[in-house]
Amino acid sequence: MKDIKSFNTEELKNEMKSIGEPAFRAGQIFEWLHKKKVGSFEEMTNLSKDLRQKLSENFEITTLAEVRSLKSEDGTVKFLYKLKDGQVIESVLMSYKHGHSICVSSQVGCRMGCMFCASTIDGLVRNLTPSEILEQVYEAERSCNVTISNIVIMGSGEPMDNYDNVIKFIRLISDEKGKNLSVRNITLSTCGLVPGIRKLAEEGLPVTLALSLHAPEDELRKTIMPVAKAFSIDEILKACDFYFEKTSRRVTFEYSLIDGVNDSVSCAEKLARLIKGKNCHVNLIPINRIKERNFSKSREDNISKFKNTLEKNRINVTIRRSMGTDIDAACGQLRRSFMEESN
Ligand code: SAH
């Protein structure tokens, strides 16, 4: 069975041809799937019964089965979904004054091995398909009756390690015949896979690039992020400059503050030297403790000193206050606790 929700209109046209249907059906079906967001062929009422039957014999519509949803005191909703093959993924809906934003996962698990992250502990299980990433958005909209205007690809997984499916997802969600979400309202976060950053710069998709830096020096970075052994900070920054050159989009550097590891004033000074003069933004994330790892969150006074040091150097910086910590909202934690209970 073919995954019909992962096809763009061009591909759908070819699919229609292959089952002996006129090309214009593609537009109708695309709209049912991506605008009206139906979950079955039965609901596609402007198609004949015969065609609906034929479609259901050849294609399947990806849906996610909600196994749990948790609402935090701050309004954040965390969803846990089961996929067709029994795998479980999570996404987080965050509501702000200016609208609703969702953090989607791009893979089941992750193979990047960052030491402070819960998603990577059991390695990569598999890539998500474009439709499985899309459904995280559609399902949250259905379930909470909201319109999502911002997407961050910052859930479990490394989007650059599932490049083609993530790009397809971005193109589908921004398709004017579908949800038509502005590409500029999408942020893609990567641990720094340089070839992916360079390729993305030339896709003609001006998403915001968020780069998980977390350390101002390669040696320190290697101790918390194995991917640092493959790409140096220097190569990463050059790729980010290239991204800015091509897209005119200001790059965000994410820096998770870990007590006693990367949160000293000297680290802040080194970071400032690295990025001074660049059109960029630093997002400090006081680390969310995960029980499997021995890292803890920086002390409040160190967080302030770190921020002040960057500000003194005229670097745009914000602190990301974690939302939904009362519901295990951080990176793969809910999925892990669910799997532990199920075992
Ligand atoms: N793989 C991508 C996207 C997923 S992680 C990436 O590395 O960017 C999204 C962000 O959360 C990354 O900056 C990641 O380093 C950070 N992160 C992971 N676990 C965390 C934790 N326990 N506390 C704070 N930030 C964490």
Side-chain angles (χ1 to χ4, degrees), residues 110 112 114 116-118 153-159 189-191 210 212 214 225 254 256 285-290 320 330-331:
C110 181
M112 296 298 126
C114 298
F116 44 82
C117 179
I153 310 172
M154 277 191 194
S156 297
E158 167 50 48
S189 177
T190 175
C191 62
S212 300
H214 307 325
M225 300 176 74
E254 295 166 277
S256 295
I285 318 168
I287 202 142
N288 292 299
R289 235 192 83 78
I290 56 171
R320 184 158 83 205
C331 315

Side-chain angles (χ1 to χ4, degrees), residues 25 67 90 107 147 204-205 210 265 268 281 285 290 304 333:
R25 293 284 178 218
V67 285
E90 52 185 76
Q107 297 180 312
T147 301
L205 291 173
V265 168
H281 175 91
I285 318 168
I290 56 171
S304 311
Q333 292 190 72

Side-chain angles (χ1 to χ4, degrees), residues 297-309:
K297 197 172 169 157
S298 297
R299 290 178 8 211
E300 282 303 321
D301 55 330
N302 289 335
I303 297 174
S304 311
K305 277 189 218 153
F306 201 97
K307 179 167 183 261
N308 293 342
T309 307

Side-chain angles (χ1 to χ4, degrees), residues 149-153 169-171 173-174 181-188 206-209 243 249:
S149 52
N150 282 276
I151 298 177
V152 295
I153 310 172
F169 156 72
I170 297 171
R171 291 196 197 283
I173 198 102
S174 58
L181 185 126
S182 166
V183 170
R184 293 173 181 276
N185 293 353
I186 300 177
T187 297
L188 183 150
V207 301
T208 299
L209 180 70
Y243 191 81
R249 301 291 286 162

Side-chain angles (χ1 to χ4, degrees), residues 68-302:
R68 186 175 289 178
S69 77
L70 292 175
K71 195 164 180 172
S72 158
E73 283 162 11
D74 61 21
T76 303
V77 187
K78 180 113 193 184
F79 297 96
L80 203 63
Y81 296 116
K82 197 166 248 178
L83 307 176
K84 205 181 60 181
D85 61 357
Q87 291 299 331
V88 173
I89 55 164
E90 52 185 76
S91 31
V92 187
L93 177 70
M94 295 157 287
S95 300
Y96 302 96
K97 272 184 241 114
H98 59 265
H100 300 280
S101 176
I102 191 165
C103 175
V104 295
S105 294
S106 56
Q107 297 180 312
V108 181
C110 181
R111 59 183 176 133
M112 296 298 126
C114 298
M115 299 295 290
F116 44 82
C117 179
S119 305
T120 197
I121 293 173
D122 295 324
L124 175 69
V125 179
R126 71 167 173 87
N127 284 331
L128 294 182
T129 61
S131 64
E132 287 168 336
I133 311 176
L134 273 169
E135 263 310 293
Q136 296 173 57
V137 183
Y138 297 170
E139 193 48 47
E141 288 193 326
R142 274 188 216 110
S143 164
C144 298
N145 200 17
V146 293
T147 301
I148 287 170
S149 52
N150 282 276
I151 298 177
V152 295
I153 310 172
M154 277 191 194
S156 297
E158 167 50 48
M160 295 296 190
D161 190 38
N162 183 17
Y163 188 89
D164 292 343
N165 288 350
V166 167
I167 294 298
K168 192 124 190 237
F169 156 72
I170 297 171
R171 291 196 197 283
L172 286 169
I173 198 102
S174 58
D175 192 307
E176 55 186 21
K177 296 193 193 73
K179 178 162 164 66
N180 196 15
L181 185 126
S182 166
V183 170
R184 293 173 181 276
N185 293 353
I186 300 177
T187 297
L188 183 150
S189 177
T190 175
C191 62
L193 300 183
V194 167
I197 299 172
R198 291 189 169 269
K199 202 165 163 201
L200 182 65
E202 304 201 90
E203 288 289 348
L205 291 173
V207 301
T208 299
L209 180 70
L211 197 288
S212 300
L213 199 56
H214 307 325
E217 281 179 334
D218 288 322
E219 286 316 305
L220 177 59
R221 197 164 185 266
K222 283 178 201 167
T223 66
I224 50 177
M225 300 176 74
V227 67
K229 293 177 194 146
F231 302 103
S232 68
I233 294 177
D234 185 52
E235 285 172 280
I236 291 174
L237 294 182
K238 286 198 177 112
C240 290
D241 287 345
F242 181 68
Y243 191 81
F244 179 70
E245 235 174 82
K246 290 282 166 182
T247 63
S248 304
R249 301 291 286 162
R250 185 176 80 160
V251 174
T252 296
F253 293 104
E254 295 166 277
Y255 196 104
S256 295
L257 290 165
I258 314 172
D259 184 45
V261 174
N262 63 354
D263 63 346
S264 64
V265 168
S266 132
C267 279
E269 282 165 350
K270 284 179 195 151
L271 175 62
R273 275 200 293 279
L274 276 181
I275 60 175
K276 206 167 177 166
K278 288 189 195 299
N279 197 337
C280 67
H281 175 91
V282 174
N283 203 350
L284 298 175
I285 318 168
I287 202 142
N288 292 299
R289 235 192 83 78
I290 56 171
K291 67 176 194 319
E292 292 83 355
R293 297 280 192 252
N294 212 6
F295 287 122
S296 42
K297 197 172 169 157
S298 297
R299 290 178 8 211
E300 282 303 321
D301 55 330
N302 289 335

